[in-house]
C-alpha cells in the first residue's frame, strides 16, 4: 500500500488525487492528523488513518502494510539543537522502515543545502542526510519554489500598488499541481533513487518580473521598490512580524539573489509530458478561482 502523509494539505491531497488516476484506491492509504477532513477520500476507497509525526504510535498504525511512504515535509522549524521538524521527519522515516516499506519519497526543495541562507533548505538537507543514513531506499523530490509563495508575496502589493522588498534574484516558480503529478508518477512508476533533478517551472522570474506580469494581468500598475535588508527588517518589525519570520524572509531574498532557486530544469516537463505551468498561468488561475 502507498501511504501519503500530509494528505489534508495542499500538496499531499493533490498527490493522492493524482495517484487515484494511476492505482486502485484500495492500494492508497493516507496518514492525516484529522481523519474527519479526509472523509471524502474514505468514501472513495482510500484507507484513512490518523497519523501525527509527534505521536509515533499513531504513525505505526497509519503506516501499517506500507510498500512506499510519501513523507510530506511539515515545514516546522523549531529553535532547539534538534529542531522539531527534523525530529518529526526522523520519526516518520523510522516508522516507514519498521512498517517494511521498500522506499520513502520525501518532499525536499531545490536549493536544499546545509549552508543555505534560507533556513528551510538547511532542514531539507538535514532530512536528506537522515534518509541517506537510514538504510532505506529513498527518493528526495527536489521540488521547485511554489508559485503560490509568489502569489502570497504580491498579495499585499496588489492592494497597495507597491511591492516593497530587498533585492532578490530569479526563481523558477512551480505549480503545486505539476509537482503533485510528478510525485505520483515517481511513486507509481518507481522512478529515481536518491535526489531527483530540480523539479521546476518553465522560467525563472524575479520580483520585478512578478510585478510586471501581475500588472499586465490585472491591467493596473504595481511598482517594485527595492529597500535594503535592514530597512526591510525595520518595516517588518514595525508591523509586528516575529523576528524568526523576518529572518526567514530575509534569508529567502539572500538565497534567491545568490541564484539558489534560478535553475530551470527539463525534468518536470519530462515527467508530466507537457510544459509545466508558468507563473502567469498560476496567477490567472488564482484570480479566476477568487472571482468564481
Ligand atoms: N516548495 C516550496 O516552495 C515550499 C514552500 C513552502 C513550504 N514547503 C514545504 O512543502 C510542504 C507541503 O506543502 P503544502 O503546500 O502541502 O503545505 P500545507 O498545505 O501546509 O501542508 C502541510 C502538511 O503537513 C502536515 N503536518 C504538519 N504537522 C504535522 C505533524 N505533526 N504530523 C503529521 N503531519 C503534519 C499538515 O497536516 P494538517 O493538514 O493536519 O495540518 C499538512 O497536511 C510544507 O509542509 C513545507 O514543508 C515547500
Amino acid at each position: 500500500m502507498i501511504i501519503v502523509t500530509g494528505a489534508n494539505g495542499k500538496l499531499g491531497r493533490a498527490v493522492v488525487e493524482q495517484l487515484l488516476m494511476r492505482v486502485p484506491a484500495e492500494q492508497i492509504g493516507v496518514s492525516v492528523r484529522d481523519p474527519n477532513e479526509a472523509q471524502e477520500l474514505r468514501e472513495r476507497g482510500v484507507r484513512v488513518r490518523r497519523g501525527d509525526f509527534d505521536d509515533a504510535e499513531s504513525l505505526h498504525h497509519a503506516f501499517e502494510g506500507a510498500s512506499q511512504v510519501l513523507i510530506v515535509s511539515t515545514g516546522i522549524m523549531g529553535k532547539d539543537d534538534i529542531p522539531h521538524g527534523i525530529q518529526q521527519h526522523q520519526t516518520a522515516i523510522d516508522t516507514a522502515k519498521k512498517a517494511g516499506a521498500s522506499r520513502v519519497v520525501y518532499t525536499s526543495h531545490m536549493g536544499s543545502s546545509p549552508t543555505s541562507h534560507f533556513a528551510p533548505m538547511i532542514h531539507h538537507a538535514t532530512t536528506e542526510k537522515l534518509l541517506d543514513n537510514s538504510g532505506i531506499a529513498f527518493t528526495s523530490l527536489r521540488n521547485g519554489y511554489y508559485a503560490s509563495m509568489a502569489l502570497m508575496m504580491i498579495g499585499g502589493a496588489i492592494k497597495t500598488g507597491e511591492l516593497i522588498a530587498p533585492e532578490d534574484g530569479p526563481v523558477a516558480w512551480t505549480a503545486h499541481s505539476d509537482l503533485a503529478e510528478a510525485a505520483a508518477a515517481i511513486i507509481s512508476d518507481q522512478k529515481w533513487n536518491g535526489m531527483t533533478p530540480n523539479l521546476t517551472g518553465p522560467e525563472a522570474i524575479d520580483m520585478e518580473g512578478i510585478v510586471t506580469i501581475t500588472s499586465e494581468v490585472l491591467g493596473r500598475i504595481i511598482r517594485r521598490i527595492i529597500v535594503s535588508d535592514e530597512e526591510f527588517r525595520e518595516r517588518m518589525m514595525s508591523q509586528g512580524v516575529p523576528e524568526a519570520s523576518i529572518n526567514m524572509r530575509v534569508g529567502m531574498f539572500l538565497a534567491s539573489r545568490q541564484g539558489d532557486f534560478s535553475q530551470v530544469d527539463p525534468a518536470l516537463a519530462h515527467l508530466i509530458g507537457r510544459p509545466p505551468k508558468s507563473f502567469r498561468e498560476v496567477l490567472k488561475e488564482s484570480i479566476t478561482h477568487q472571482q468564481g
Side-chain angles (χ1 to χ4, degrees):
M1 176 173 268
I2 297 165
I3 304 294
V4 177
T5 76
N8 286 338
K10 291 186 286 299
L11 187 68
R13 180 57 65 96
V15 173
V16 173
E17 289 298 339
Q18 286 293 333
L19 283 172
L20 281 165
M21 293 181 215
R22 291 169 166 82
V23 293
E26 321 74 80
Q27 290 176 22
I28 304 170
V30 296
S31 167
V32 291
R33 288 194 294 183
D34 181 357
N36 292 328
E37 278 183 42
Q39 183 55 28
E40 192 242 345
L41 291 178
R42 181 175 276 144
E43 284 160 12
R44 291 160 71 190
V46 173
R47 188 181 82 181
V48 176
R49 290 191 178 174
R50 191 184 86 83
D52 186 331
F53 292 174
D54 289 324
D55 173 1
E57 276 309 305
S58 72
L59 279 195
H60 278 298
H61 183 57
F63 288 10
E64 189 186 1
S67 56
Q68 297 186 69
V69 177
L70 172 66
I71 299 178
V72 172
S73 55
T74 62
I76 291 168
M77 293 289 116
K79 293 180 188 139
D80 310 328
D81 287 347
I82 302 174
H84 189 178
I86 301 297
Q87 187 59 61
Q88 292 178 328
H89 294 165
Q90 179 74 75
T91 304
I93 294 165
D94 290 346
T95 310
K97 201 172 167 183
K98 281 187 197 144
S102 61
R103 178 167 73 145
V104 165
V105 179
Y106 170 71
T107 61
S108 182
H109 200 288
M110 78 181 295
S112 162
S113 158
T115 57
S116 177
H117 288 296
F118 188 38
M121 302 304 107
I122 300 172
H123 283 226
H124 285 307
T126 309
T127 302
E128 286 174 336
K129 192 97 191 122
L130 298 180
L131 285 164
D132 211 12
N133 292 339
S134 70
I136 194 167
F138 74 94
T139 303
S140 185
L141 306 170
R142 287 284 181 97
N143 286 343
Y145 218 111
Y146 293 157
S148 61
M149 302 308 279
L151 293 181
M152 268 175 60
M153 287 182 210
I154 53 157
I158 288 175
K159 291 190 191 113
T160 62
E162 289 179 339
L163 178 74
I164 304 172
E167 187 188 340
D168 68 306
V171 175
W173 305 105
T174 313
H176 269 76
S177 54
D178 289 336
L179 290 170
E181 199 173 331
I186 287 171
I187 294 166
S188 55
D189 299 343
Q190 301 271 349
K191 279 196 180 95
W192 272 317
N193 279 324
M195 318 301 170
T196 67
N198 291 331
L199 304 173
T200 77
E203 57 193 342
I205 308 173
D206 65 7
M207 287 293 143
E208 185 71 48
I210 294 289
V211 296
T212 303
I213 292 168
T214 309
S215 300
E216 284 167 11
V217 170
L218 294 180
R220 63 186 159 82
I221 300 290
I222 298 167
R223 291 194 312 141
R224 162 77 167 114
I225 296 169
I226 295 179
V227 293
S228 68
D229 294 354
E230 260 331 292
E231 188 179 340
F232 182 71
R233 276 182 186 283
E234 281 160 23
R235 281 173 169 271
M236 292 290 107
M237 262 180 333
S238 68
Q239 290 167 21
V241 178
E243 194 178 355
S245 174
I246 299 174
N247 289 340
M248 181 111 92
R249 292 184 209 195
V250 172
M252 186 273 167
F253 287 108
L254 278 167
S256 81
R257 68 188 181 231
Q258 258 186 203
D260 290 6
F261 314 119
S262 64
Q263 193 217 2
V264 173
D265 192 287
L268 180 56
H270 288 151
L271 274 166
I272 64 176
R274 58 165 193 281
K277 282 181 188 159
S278 64
F279 172 74
R280 186 183 292 267
E281 284 171 270
V282 175
L283 174 66
K284 283 185 178 168
E285 274 179 12
S286 155
I287 292 168
T288 308
H289 182 71
Q290 280 167 28
Q291 288 169 345

